[in-house]
Amino acid sequence: MSEAAEISRIVLPVGVNAVETVNCYVLPDGDRVTVVDCGVWRPDLPDGGLAALEAGLHGAGYGLTDVGRIVVTHAHIDHYGLAGRVMELTGAELAMHALTDLDCEKYRHPDTARARRRDTYADHGVSEAERGDLAHHLTRWLPYLHSVVEASHRLRGGEELTVGGDAWQIVHTPGHSLGHVCLWSPARKTLLSGDHLLPGITPPVTFERGFDADPLRSYLTSLRAIADLRPQTVLPGHGTPFGEPQGRIEAILRTKVRRLEKIRRAIGQQPRSIVELADLLVAKAVLAHQRQLAINETLAHVAYLRWSGVVERRTRPDGVYEWYATADTPLDVTALAAS
Ligand SMILES: [Zn+2]
């Protein structure tokens, strides 16, 4: 059996906002284990959702108290919600990127975060009736967060974690989340990709005030950096592990660039608000979580165009921002060309 077979995957149930499951990876680490991502707290279940994690650990030959370290690829609640509880029960350390502080801050002050969202949505033309509903995205997730715990081991990218004799490089991969990291083993040619690279779906990249001013550029740049590592095996945060990801990466890059071009064309035809652009792009986003995703992704695309110097915004008489074309130079997507 190959060495890589030692890493086991536990599929943990989530069931919030159309996220059905999340993967937790178990990496043997001496007489303990390191787990990468850990699923959600389940207030509706007597054990808080620990049973699925414990069963998975048992299946791999370990118990819950063997967890010595939790690495969280990014502090979204589906990957992080249970971390505080596992730390309480095991004394495990928590390794996360230093920029996950911003997520922790948001979870500690959800009212402020919601108010900031409502302001953003108002500025970009979301009707008052819809604003509250969309800003409550966070409200739907919060019950699945056991507690807000900061990293006890603050990652910055570029460092190496030794796990059971394997060297795993920490690669900072902002985009899907500003504090996102992937773990890369050059010896195994294996990437623990979190939500940076997923099978089947293009990872959402959304704009949120106070986080990354140009998250899509961050995402495209860090996805190219991952491609350059030439991984052979990808262990993703959702879905089934897959091999030879180059084709998958190119497909994701193409999807993002196509959408950028489409939005740019629409703004070139006439000035438009974010809501008008989101409606053009995702006509069938009827559920609140789809709608808020469509709007936040549109914001990220327009931010990319803005920082590329090809669109700018102004305020309409009704107070809503609209975007207009300022240049018809080609988009500089050289960073996206396969190297
Ligand atoms: Zn996720």
Side-chain angles (χ1 to χ4, degrees):
M1 214 177 248
S2 73
E3 269 189 80
E6 292 166 21
I7 299 175
S8 13
R9 178 171 69 111
I10 308 176
V11 181
L12 297 170
V14 178
V16 191
N17 290 347
V19 179
E20 293 310 327
T21 62
V22 68
N23 293 327
C24 161
Y25 292 96
V26 181
L27 282 58
D29 194 3
D31 52 4
R32 304 195 81 184
V33 291
T34 288
V35 297
V36 177
D37 291 341
C38 63
V40 296
W41 169 247
R42 290 289 300 268
D44 53 324
L45 300 178
D47 61 1
L50 278 164
L53 179 62
E54 280 196 284
L57 284 165
H58 283 142
Y62 297 95
L64 187 64
T65 50
D66 292 324
V67 177
R69 173 165 51 191
I70 306 161
V71 182
V72 165
T73 58
H74 61 299
H76 287 172
I77 290 173
D78 49 340
H79 301 257
Y80 163 75
L82 199 54
R85 183 65 181 142
V86 176
M87 289 170 82
E88 267 178 12
L89 293 171
T90 64
E93 70 160 339
L94 174 64
M96 298 196 296
H97 195 276
L99 286 168
T100 56
D101 286 355
L102 293 170
D103 302 274
C104 294
E105 187 69 14
K106 182 164 89 172
Y107 302 145
R108 284 192 200 285
H109 301 285
D111 290 339
T112 310
R114 276 187 287 261
R116 195 167 57 225
R117 284 274 196 196
R118 276 196 300 274
D119 288 350
T120 306
Y121 293 144
D123 290 345
H124 288 284
V126 177
S127 72
E128 195 170 351
E130 204 179 18
R131 246 175 259 158
D133 204 24
L134 295 189
H136 277 295
H137 180 74
L138 180 60
T139 313
R140 285 187 292 276
W141 274 108
L142 274 180
Y144 296 85
L145 174 62
H146 173 267
S147 48
V148 185
V149 278
E150 266 91 6
S152 52
H153 179 174
R154 294 165 69 79
L155 304 172
R156 293 183 182 276
E159 59 271 80
E160 217 168 71
L161 290 185
T162 305
V163 187
D166 272 336
W168 289 89
Q169 292 173 2
I170 303 298
V171 187
H172 183 211
T173 47
H176 174 73
S177 172
L178 186 52
H180 194 292
V181 296
C182 292
L183 280 73
W184 164 241
S185 161
R188 292 170 180 259
K189 300 220 174 296
T190 295
L191 184 77
L192 284 155
S193 69
D195 285 358
H196 187 54
L197 175 56
L198 294 169
I201 68 159
T202 297
V205 176
T206 59
F207 174 87
E208 182 169 1
R209 277 183 188 166
F211 286 70
D212 192 340
D214 194 353
L216 184 56
R217 193 176 309 272
S218 301
Y219 179 75
L220 297 174
T221 305
S222 54
L223 191 58
R224 174 55 60 203
I226 288 301
D228 290 345
L229 296 174
R230 306 265 158 201
Q232 284 176 4
T233 304
V234 176
L235 307 178
H238 304 272
T240 313
F242 58 104
E244 301 302 335
Q246 300 300 329
R248 182 80 205 109
I249 291 173
E250 299 308 326
I252 291 172
L253 292 171
R254 277 196 303 274
T255 303
K256 297 290 191 196
V257 171
R258 255 200 310 273
R259 187 170 275 199
L260 273 173
E261 299 288 6
K262 190 170 176 186
I263 292 176
R264 189 184 178 182
R265 264 198 312 279
I267 295 173
Q269 287 159 358
Q270 62 181 83
R272 297 183 200 256
S273 71
I274 291 291
V275 165
E276 289 159 1
L277 289 166
D279 286 343
L280 274 181
L281 247 63
V282 194
K284 293 193 182 68
V286 284
L287 300 172
H289 73 264
Q290 293 171 336
R291 177 84 171 145
Q292 75 99 33
L293 192 61
I295 289 172
N296 296 341
E297 286 205 85
T298 305
L299 279 166
H301 282 76
V302 170
Y304 184 101
L305 296 173
R306 183 189 202 186
W307 303 124
S308 298
V310 297
V311 306
E312 199 33 91
R313 79 177 190 206
R314 62 189 172 210
T315 308
R316 294 192 317 214
D318 64 357
V320 169
Y321 291 144
E322 69 174 7
W323 297 86
Y324 62 98
T326 54
D328 52 12
T329 48
L331 266 190
D332 178 16
V333 287
T334 47
L336 310 184
S339 49

